[in-house]
Every structure is written in C-alpha cells, then in structure tokens.
Amino acid sequence: MKKYLSNFILFLSIIILIISCTTTKSSNYDELENKGTVMGVSTPNWVKLYTASGVSALQKLPEYKDKYCIVGEESGVNRQFVINWADAASAQQRIGSLLRTNIASRYSAAITGSAQSSTESTAVYQQEIDNVLNAIVNVSYSGAQRDADWWSLRRRYEPGNKEIYTDEFTAWVLYTIPKAEMNRQIAFALENSTSKDSALYDVTIAIARDILLQGYDTSELQNAAAIQNTASANYDPKGSVTSQAMEEINHIDEYAIGREVTASFLANNRIYDANPALTDYLNKILSALVINSPKPVAYNGYRAAIIDSDNINAFASPAGHIFLTRGLINAAKSEDALAAALAHELAHIQLRHGIRAIQSNRNTEEWTNQFLFGGAQIIADKINNGYSQTQEFDADITALSLLAAAKYNPQGLIDMLSELEKVQSTKHGGFNSTHPSPTSRLVNAKVAAARYANLTDNRRVRQNRFERVVK
C-alpha cells in the first residue's frame, strides 16, 4: 500500500512540476529582448533573483517577510501564447498548484512514518487524498494578489555549440499572499475535507495543525515564540472576549489561581520524595527547556515534581508546576524522551491552555469574575478531564521547538510517544483519560518533526547520565 501511495504521489508531483516549473534554467543563453526593451526598463530584481536562486531567495527579501511568494512560469515559442498565459493565470490556480505538490508530499511522509493499517484499501487512500488535494486547490485564497509580471525572449544554445539554438519566450508572474491568512485558509480546508471516521483523519488534522502553526513551507523553521503567537490568535482571535480578558490578567493572580489548581491536584495525589536526586534531575532538564523558551521567567518560577503512582500520566498547572508520575518516568528510555514529556507540559503552561478553559461570550467582566471566583475549579476540571486534541497537538508541536532550542533531539518526543503507544494501547484510564491516544499524537508529531530531520542526533551523549539517575 505504501509503495502504491508513494508512486501515486510521485506521479502527481511530476505532473505539477511540469505544469508549474520553479527550477532554475540553464544559463547557456542570450537574451534577445524582454518586456522592458521598448521602454528602456531593465529586468526587475525579483526576476533576476528568482531565475538565479529560486523562490526561496525571494522569501528572504524584507518586503516579503510576512508573505508567501508564488511564481508562475511558462515558456513557449509563441510570444502571444506566453503573454496570454501570464494574463490569464490567477493567484488561486498558481497557489493551488504549488500547494497540491506540497500537501501531497506531506501525506506521503506522514503515511510512510505512521502506523496506517495495511488492511485498508489503497483505493480508499487514493480517493481520500485526491479529495483533500481538490479541496486545497479550490480555496479562493483571499488576500492573494498579483504583484508583478515579466517576459523575456531568450536564445538557448546546445552546450558547446552556438550553431544550434532555440528561440524561446518565458513569462513569469509573481503572486503574494499574507502568510497568516494563507495558513489559516489551508488548515480550514484540510480540517473540513476529511470526515472523523476517515482512515486518514489523524494524518489530515496533524498536517492542518502543523501548517496553521508553522506554515506550509517546511524550509521555514519557526521557533516556539512564533508558534505560541499563532496558536493564541487561532484559539482566541484578537478582539474576542477571552483575548481581551487574558491581556488584563495580573501575573500574580494567574499564579494564585495556579496554586489553587496545584493544591486541588495534590489533595488526591501524593508527592514521591524517596529519590531527591531524581527530582533534582528533572528540574535541571526543565531549567534547560525554560531558559531557551519564549517565556523563561514566570512568577515564582517553574518546578517539576514526581507523583507516587505507577500510572502513566503528567499534569501542569498555570502556576508553573509540572508533575510526572513514576510510571511515566519509568516508561522513558532516554533523557531526551524525559525532556519531551516535560516540554509537552511546559508548552501547555506557555500556551496558557489552563487559563483558556475559562470561556465567556458576553464580556470581559464576566470572564474575569469566572477567573477570580471559580477559575481554579474550572481549570482543575479541564486538566483532570483532558485538553482538546487540537490543544494536545499544539503542545506537541511546541514541545518539538522547545526541545530543539535547548539542544535536545526532537526525536525524543517520537521515542516517548512510541513507548507510550506500546504500554498504553490496551489500557484504560491514566494517560488515555487526559490525552489523545499516543497513536494519534504520533502521527501529528511525525508530521511536525520532519522539519527537524537535519539536526544532529546527539541523544547518545546523555544516556550514561540518564541511566545513572533514572535506572
């Protein structure tokens, strides 16, 4: 099945690349004329940059910092045909073509890396992927605009022989679209194109979240701060009641509510204090993650503690307290895996998932009253019952960035989730009650972790320390 899917997507990618080629052409040519010849206008810098280094070079220009650049390109021997093509091309068509290839490759990587059932019909996968790709192409992509166009007549020579040549017209059209707007539209299209009973539902939602938080271009590695800002805007758009209320929360009040949440949690869970060295070890790992995070300072700091339970679980309160059970620590096979568990909980705190449990559709005064007089119980209930799958996915994506920033290998999260999948797949309660299934999170994490594939795998250097303290 995987081979069939890979072949299908490879064929699809080749077709799109032929239609919308973005590779740099050979420089073995002479330019005979161009759009600016009659008017004495020189070739624009964006054309020179694109033809020399590709669209990635355009993305680095200051004027395109917050925009995606899409370049349509067409060549032919008939000038009028090429110019008509440039005039007829729409932003939607060009963006759709580019995204079709990008999304198809993401599906290929996600399906190959995840445990998709081998019993599923290949026809089902093909049809569902095609449906999603069609949904992506058919998005209107509001906010996109045609920035510029250019054409050129070039005489291309056979290598080493100028007696053999071909005269060819080439036209380029540059489109731009705000990144945040495009990411939001892609994610919405993905999330609404696949039903919950689909075999590819988890893969599709994971791709949607990754695109929403970090963008569709896998060459753009954003940090945890950028993810945090994007996630916040997605949860509570600027101007919403929750957004306005959270901007006004005093950090001391948030800490006080968090302490109440922690007290409520500890009323039913006992701290494990038989191994102070292990607790100290956890806090050193947490400190490394925190100091390299978007919020290195919190009121009264961040602290980790161990819960005396064989169950596999983890919790975090808005006060900066993180709890891992003995069962979860025992399930970790490396320091990086343990760091991943802490990074996930730290992400919940920094994304303010607990505080976001308080909702109001009326006004900020009502929201604040709920926060001050019932906030601790609302947040405690949310933690006990589990965050939404979207929030858990976002915490995992943010955890990957936190790990990379602290020089831990993001693969540690994949290792941890893989181990939890083995241990928890047949169990009820504990971790499964407060988190999405490890299988579902694995799909999401593998999609997001692909952008860190080039990082050096340095997990082994910490293994002796881990085994000395934990094992």
Side-chain angles (χ1 to χ4, degrees):
M1 177 198 70
K2 292 179 181 177
K3 182 178 180 181
Y4 178 89
L5 275 170
S6 297
N7 290 339
F8 161 68
I9 292 172
L10 178 61
F11 171 76
L12 184 62
S13 300
I14 291 172
I15 294 299
I16 298 300
L17 284 172
I18 290 174
I19 294 175
S20 182
C21 177
T22 58
T23 57
T24 303
K25 304 285 187 184
S26 168
S27 60
N28 190 34
Y29 64 82
D30 288 333
E31 186 169 68
L32 304 180
E33 64 172 317
N34 59 46
K35 182 179 178 179
T37 300
V38 176
M39 300 177 63
V41 178
S42 60
T43 302
N45 286 333
W46 72 266
V47 175
K48 296 177 182 177
L49 195 58
Y50 170 72
T51 55
S53 305
V55 74
S56 60
L58 293 179
Q59 292 282 183
K60 295 177 182 178
L61 294 176
E63 58 263 40
Y64 301 126
K65 176 184 176 183
D66 298 317
K67 296 180 178 181
Y68 287 126
C69 295
I70 299 95
V71 177
E73 180 178 342
E74 184 63 53
S75 297
V77 297
N78 184 302
R79 185 177 75 169
Q80 196 58 47
F81 167 80
V82 171
I83 293 175
N84 287 345
W85 172 89
D87 290 338
S90 70
Q92 178 185 0
Q93 291 171 328
R94 297 302 155 196
I95 294 173
S97 294
L98 180 65
L99 289 176
R100 190 178 182 92
T101 304
N102 184 280
I103 301 299
S105 65
R106 283 171 177 256
Y107 267 108
S108 179
I111 293 169
T112 301
S114 64
Q116 293 297 319
S117 172
S118 60
T119 61
E120 291 290 340
S121 166
T122 55
V124 172
Y125 280 109
Q126 178 181 344
Q127 184 61 52
E128 291 193 13
I129 291 174
D130 199 42
N131 288 342
V132 173
L133 296 177
N134 287 337
I136 291 296
V137 172
N138 289 329
V139 172
S140 63
Y141 296 110
S142 59
Q145 65 178 26
R146 175 175 174 149
D147 271 27
D149 61 74
W150 193 255
W151 63 263
S152 171
L153 172 60
R154 295 172 170 183
R155 176 162 291 176
R156 300 187 182 280
Y157 302 99
E158 286 292 320
N161 187 356
K162 284 202 168 187
E163 297 299 320
I164 302 176
Y165 60 84
T166 301
D167 289 347
E168 182 180 66
F169 290 91
T170 301
W172 301 272
V173 182
L174 171 63
Y175 304 96
T176 60
I177 182 171
K179 289 183 177 180
E181 186 61 30
M182 181 167 160
N183 293 341
R184 189 175 293 112
Q185 291 179 75
I186 298 169
F188 183 80
L190 282 166
E191 292 179 358
N192 287 276
S193 62
T194 311
S195 62
K196 289 190 175 182
D197 58 355
S198 163
L200 294 179
Y201 180 73
D202 282 344
V203 172
T204 302
I205 296 300
I207 292 174
R209 297 308 301 166
D210 187 45
I211 288 174
L212 179 66
L213 298 181
Q214 301 208 62
Y216 85 91
D217 187 351
T218 55
S219 68
E220 293 185 342
L221 179 61
Q222 294 190 36
N223 59 28
I227 300 172
Q228 177 181 313
N229 291 336
T230 307
S232 298
N234 178 63
Y235 298 138
D236 308 299
K238 191 173 181 61
S240 66
V241 169
T242 302
S243 174
Q244 293 178 45
M246 291 181 70
E247 288 178 1
E248 298 175 6
I249 294 178
N250 183 298
H251 290 298
I252 297 177
D253 286 339
E254 183 171 349
Y255 173 74
I257 291 290
R259 279 180 58 89
E260 288 187 49
V261 173
T262 298
S264 174
F265 176 75
L266 291 178
N268 300 304
N269 295 276
R270 189 167 70 88
I271 292 288
Y272 175 73
D273 54 9
N275 189 345
L278 179 57
T279 301
D280 183 59
Y281 179 54
L282 288 182
N283 278 283
K284 286 180 179 177
I285 297 174
L286 178 60
S287 294
L289 294 169
V290 166
I291 200 65
N292 291 286
S293 75
K295 291 185 177 181
V297 178
Y299 187 80
N300 210 27
Y302 297 87
R303 289 178 175 78
I306 305 169
I307 296 299
D308 191 10
S309 171
D310 290 329
N311 287 334
I312 295 176
N313 220 332
F315 303 88
S317 86
H321 302 139
I322 295 175
F323 301 98
L324 305 184
T325 63
R326 284 190 297 103
L328 179 62
I329 294 172
N330 291 334
K333 302 301 182 186
S334 69
E335 182 175 310
D336 292 60
L338 201 55
L342 288 167
H344 176 88
E345 298 306 318
L346 177 62
H348 278 309
I349 297 173
Q350 297 199 346
L351 293 172
R352 304 179 84 183
H353 284 164
I355 299 297
R356 293 179 196 282
I358 301 169
Q359 298 292 325
S360 172
N361 294 322
R362 292 182 59 188
N363 52 50
T364 55
E365 182 179 356
E366 181 188 80
W367 192 100
T368 303
N369 286 336
Q370 288 187 67
F371 173 76
L372 293 175
F373 300 108
Q377 189 58 53
I378 294 172
I379 295 168
D381 289 344
K382 185 69 172 179
I383 293 173
N384 288 329
N385 294 327
Y387 293 112
S388 69
Q389 177 167 301
T390 293
Q391 289 176 317
E392 291 293 350
F393 278 11
D394 290 352
D396 278 338
I397 292 173
T398 303
L400 290 168
S401 183
L402 292 170
L403 289 169
K407 306 305 180 185
Y408 282 106
N409 195 299
Q411 184 63 34
L413 179 61
I414 309 299
D415 295 342
M416 192 74 221
L417 291 174
S418 297
E419 197 61 34
L420 294 179
E421 185 180 41
K422 295 177 189 175
V423 177
Q424 291 290 112
S425 59
T426 59
K427 293 184 179 180
H428 299 286
F431 184 89
N432 286 346
S433 298
T434 56
H435 296 75
S437 72
T439 302
S440 177
R441 288 177 62 193
L442 258 174
V443 172
N444 170 63
K446 285 178 178 178
V447 169
R451 66 183 64 241
Y452 302 94
N454 294 328
L455 295 184
T456 302
D457 188 349
N458 56 5
R459 286 170 288 176
R460 189 181 297 275
V461 302
R462 291 178 285 276
Q463 196 60 26
N464 288 340
R465 177 173 62 191
F466 170 79
E467 292 180 353
R468 185 170 62 251
V469 178
V470 177
K471 303 300 182 183

